[in-house]
Amino acid sequence: MNEAAWNEVKAEMANVKTIKEMFAEDPQRAERFTLEAAGWTLDYSKNRITPALMKKLYKLAEASNLREEIEKMFTGAKINETEGRAVLHTALRNCDPDAKVLVDGRDVMPDVRAVLAKMGDFSDSVRKGAWRGFTGKRIKNVVNIGIGGSDLGPVMANIALTPYSKRNMKFFFVSNVDSTHLAETLRSVKAAETLFIIASKTFTTQETMSNAEAAREWLVKELGDKSAVAKHFVAVSTAAKEVAEFGIDTANMFGFWDWVGGRYSLPSAIGLSLMIAIGRSNYAKLLKGYWKMDKHFRTAKFERNIPVNLALLGILYANGYGAETYCCLPYDQYLSRFPAYLQQMDMESNGKGVTKDGKPVTYSTGPIEWGEPGTNGQHSFYQLIHQGTHLIPCDFIGCCRTHNPIGDLHDKLMANLFAQTEALAFGKTAEQCRAEGVPEKLVPFKTFEGNRPTNTLLCDQLTPETLGALVAMYEHKVFVQGVIWNVFSFDQWGVQLGKVLAKGVLKDLVAAKPELKHDSSTNQLILRYRKAVGR
Ligand code: F6P
């Protein structure tokens, strides 16, 4: 992180008053700190900021060469240096028919458009019933088998876009190598009516391949013929050889490329299950929403740029105010898996401890992201956010119009959202408590100090377009933070060690005579397990 620019930010923090005081002093505050883009409004006025502090934060972004780094990403430079790859998820949703994006001198856009068209034709034929199963039956169930980026995006978006989904089909997502996940799914479907999408960038991930093999075995047994696999299994992957080895015809493979990171892959062929659910024209609207936010991020001045401002506020809290986490609170049941989706996007990207030149960082990087939909969270963990000892900046996300109007439920939902941000910012003083007749001995418990920061993100309605824009908004926020923290946001080496060790442990769990060479705790756990399962 640029030390000189950061020191200026820190010095300016001394001039920040409480949120309550700053609102009282500036009648224009809400207007001053509100931004609009791609169908979303961001009100970031309830933060511990002043215009002067924001200026210092923009200066930090400039000093981190953010403008140049954004251009590098959009134009296919190999910014994922430890893997030698470009980072071009933005090309996947580039809706400009004349766009050219070069990687190693080759325009990737014709391939992007060809895969999209192939996905569109396939999803049309499944939805219309033209694609039939081995016994001639219509496909009624789609089971996506994948994990991490090959699961969380499709799961989140399938739930989010339920109002647009084909209601006479069912969609399942199997990710965990816990056999319960697959077993419970298979109990709910009939083989003759089920399509399996094996979604894996590498087609080597242990969990996905184990579940895919088990699903294939089940299907062959149920339908009594090996050749049934061709009508019930398709693949989404970058690895044609591995797909063919698994026994899926590569004609039924939907490709993507090494320049699409797993956690950024929802708008690639990884979104196939979603496209079948919502149809190709709604999927096109999702991409359009992403694209609108991409254009905003690439062109808007930092002062007016939603992802840049979200990122800078996050840095202010993580590095300036010592916040270790931030909370994502969607007041929309359709966004129930959005916090989990953000977890991978943010924590796998910026959970890094060394700078781009391989030196240990001397400041906090990616924060812990967590959250639940409102109002449910209000009745579980909000207590800690209001009165606990941790500072937890929160993003409240709301949609003005519901897809499911029932009485005044939506008004109540939104009233809670707005009231929470008000309570967190302004709190309640001891004097207010006393004026309400609170007995003196209860005053300390009923006092809220306030000054707890929140962002509010509002859209008109949750649609494919606004969902695409929301995802892109957070992707770019995470990108900006990685640039300022000077870490590589697009690799994930930290995930590898556990994967490698699991292979060795597995051998020891199943071997006739294991030679246990682990630490005493791991050895003991392995022996206990072996005894319990009779080995
Ligand atoms: O385990 C982490 C990870 O490498 C993620 O980055 C990725 O999204 C996930 O595994 C799944 O990988 P794949 O799509 O290759 O199966």
Side-chain angles (χ1 to χ4, degrees):
M1 188 149 68
N2 186 292
E3 220 180 310
W6 176 246
N7 285 340
E8 285 190 38
V9 171
K10 277 206 337 216
E12 189 57 44
M13 281 172 66
N15 300 322
V16 176
K17 298 182 181 164
T18 66
I19 296 173
K20 193 176 180 178
E21 285 165 335
M22 292 188 292
F23 266 93
E25 282 173 11
D26 178 7
Q28 307 299 317
R29 186 171 171 90
E31 204 180 305
R32 188 185 310 286
F33 291 128
T34 294
L35 298 171
E36 309 258 349
W40 285 93
T41 300
L42 166 67
D43 178 341
Y44 63 108
S45 58
K46 293 186 184 101
N47 276 292
R48 297 182 182 180
I49 51 166
T50 60
L53 181 57
M54 289 312 296
K55 269 198 189 129
K56 296 293 182 193
L57 285 163
Y58 301 133
K59 228 176 134 186
L60 173 67
E62 302 284 0
S64 312
N65 295 327
L66 178 59
R67 186 59 67 201
E68 292 83 343
E69 292 298 322
I70 293 173
E71 274 315 288
K72 278 196 209 165
M73 175 172 72
F74 274 91
T75 53
K78 296 200 172 168
I79 58 171
N80 176 359
E81 284 181 35
T82 65
E83 295 181 314
R85 293 173 182 170
V87 174
L88 272 179
H89 42 275
T90 51
L92 301 167
R93 59 266 189 147
N94 189 326
C95 302
D96 174 356
D98 301 319
K100 279 190 169 50
V101 181
L102 303 182
V103 175
D104 292 328
R106 187 167 172 273
D107 182 13
V108 300
M109 290 310 297
D111 290 347
V112 169
R113 292 183 198 113
V115 172
L116 257 180
K118 185 173 169 180
M119 288 167 66
D121 293 345
F122 180 72
S123 62
D124 279 352
S125 73
V126 174
R127 286 166 64 87
K128 282 185 202 143
W131 177 283
R132 298 261 161 169
F134 179 67
T135 65
K137 288 207 164 153
R138 243 185 125 114
I139 297 297
K140 288 192 185 153
N141 311 298
V142 173
V143 180
N144 187 84
I145 299 183
I147 197 163
S150 301
D151 169 71
L152 288 162
V155 173
M156 177 281 290
N158 263 278
I159 299 171
L161 298 179
T162 305
Y164 300 86
S165 185
K166 202 164 165 56
R167 300 272 188 180
N168 59 0
M169 290 184 74
K170 287 204 172 108
F171 294 85
F172 300 86
F173 298 86
V174 175
S175 52
N176 201 337
V177 78
D178 179 346
S179 44
T180 296
H181 206 174
L182 181 65
E184 286 296 345
T185 303
L186 297 183
R187 274 184 198 121
S188 314
V189 299
K190 289 195 177 105
E193 300 171 343
T194 301
L195 175 74
F196 291 91
I197 299 176
I198 312 304
S200 174
K201 181 174 166 178
T202 54
F203 234 69
T204 57
T205 303
Q206 185 196 50
E207 293 91 330
T208 301
M209 296 328 296
S210 306
N211 278 321
E213 277 155 23
R216 183 182 55 189
E217 204 174 298
W218 173 82
L219 183 109
V220 170
K221 196 165 155 232
E222 291 285 308
L223 299 184
D225 195 324
K226 267 189 180 171
S227 54
V229 171
K231 286 285 166 199
H232 293 270
F233 277 75
V234 299
V236 175
S237 188
T238 59
K241 189 170 146 269
E242 284 78 2
V243 168
E245 278 166 13
F246 179 86
I248 294 176
D249 185 347
T250 46
N252 297 329
M253 167 180 157
F254 300 83
F256 60 113
W257 307 273
D258 71 357
W259 42 260
V260 182
R263 51 195 174 273
Y264 298 90
S265 65
L266 173 60
S268 73
I270 289 291
L272 183 63
S273 56
L274 177 67
M275 194 194 260
I276 298 173
I278 64 173
R280 74 197 299 179
S281 69
N282 279 322
Y283 194 83
K285 287 180 193 156
L286 174 86
L287 298 185
K288 198 169 160 210
Y290 269 106
W291 187 48
K292 281 189 178 172
M293 187 57 75
D294 290 347
K295 286 192 292 181
H296 164 74
F297 175 57
R298 191 175 178 181
T299 57
K301 285 171 34 183
F302 292 165
E303 290 79 356
R304 308 298 311 158
N305 198 310
I306 293 187
V308 169
N309 279 277
L310 286 176
L312 293 172
L313 290 165
I315 284 176
L316 178 69
Y317 291 116
N319 304 108
Y321 289 110
E324 288 183 320
T325 78
Y326 80 94
C327 208
C328 172
L329 303 165
Y331 276 61
D332 190 313
Q333 196 56 31
Y334 286 131
L335 287 174
S336 58
R337 291 299 284 164
F338 192 67
Y341 171 69
L342 269 192
Q343 260 172 359
Q344 187 198 11
M345 184 206 288
D346 199 336
M347 293 163 74
E348 204 170 62
S349 295
N350 287 337
K352 306 290 164 64
V354 289
T355 59
K356 289 181 182 170
D357 37 17
K359 304 214 172 82
V361 291
T362 52
Y363 40 82
S364 308
T365 59
I368 300 153
E369 190 275 338
W370 59 291
E372 277 289 323
T375 59
N376 292 12
Q378 290 177 207
H379 301 275
S380 61
F381 54 80
Y382 279 35
Q383 166 61 37
L384 184 147
I385 302 177
H386 280 286
Q387 289 187 311
T389 54
H390 301 271
L391 175 69
I392 303 174
C394 301
D395 286 357
F396 284 78
I397 303 175
C399 308
C400 295
R401 289 190 303 119
T402 175
H403 286 281
N404 303 299
I406 301 179
D408 64 354
L409 294 191
H410 191 65
D411 294 333
K412 286 177 176 152
L413 175 75
M414 297 304 283
N416 273 282
L417 185 167
F418 300 142
Q420 286 297 324
T421 69
E422 196 176 13
L424 286 163
F426 299 100
K428 191 169 180 183
T429 61
E431 290 66 45
Q432 282 172 302
C433 291
R434 287 186 191 108
E436 283 175 11
V438 172
E440 196 54 35
K441 66 174 184 192
L442 287 184
V443 167
F445 306 101
K446 295 203 164 192
T447 300
F448 290 68
E449 101 190 327
N451 206 26
R452 314 240 161 174
T454 61
N455 291 312
T456 303
L457 281 158
L458 278 186
C459 70
D460 176 52
Q461 190 170 44
L462 188 64
T463 62
E465 206 171 309
T466 51
L467 180 70
L470 181 69
V471 174
M473 181 196 302
Y474 278 99
E475 286 178 348
H476 297 319
K477 171 198 161 182
V478 168
F479 171 81
V480 172
Q481 294 189 329
V483 168
I484 293 176
W485 284 322
N486 192 30
V487 296
F488 287 122
S489 300
F490 297 101
D491 58 20
Q492 56 286 317
W493 298 108
V495 188
Q496 301 307 322
L497 178 62
K499 286 188 187 176
V500 174
L501 293 186
K503 282 191 188 148
V505 173
L506 180 61
K507 271 194 199 144
D508 292 335
L509 292 184
V510 299
K513 281 193 186 143
E515 278 183 47
L516 295 179
K517 290 184 179 153
H518 307 270
D519 58 276
S520 59
S521 161
T522 311
N523 285 344
Q524 169 186 280
L525 294 168
I526 291 172
L527 288 173
R528 257 174 202 268
Y529 176 81
R530 287 182 63 100
K531 194 170 167 208
V533 299
R535 281 189 204 120

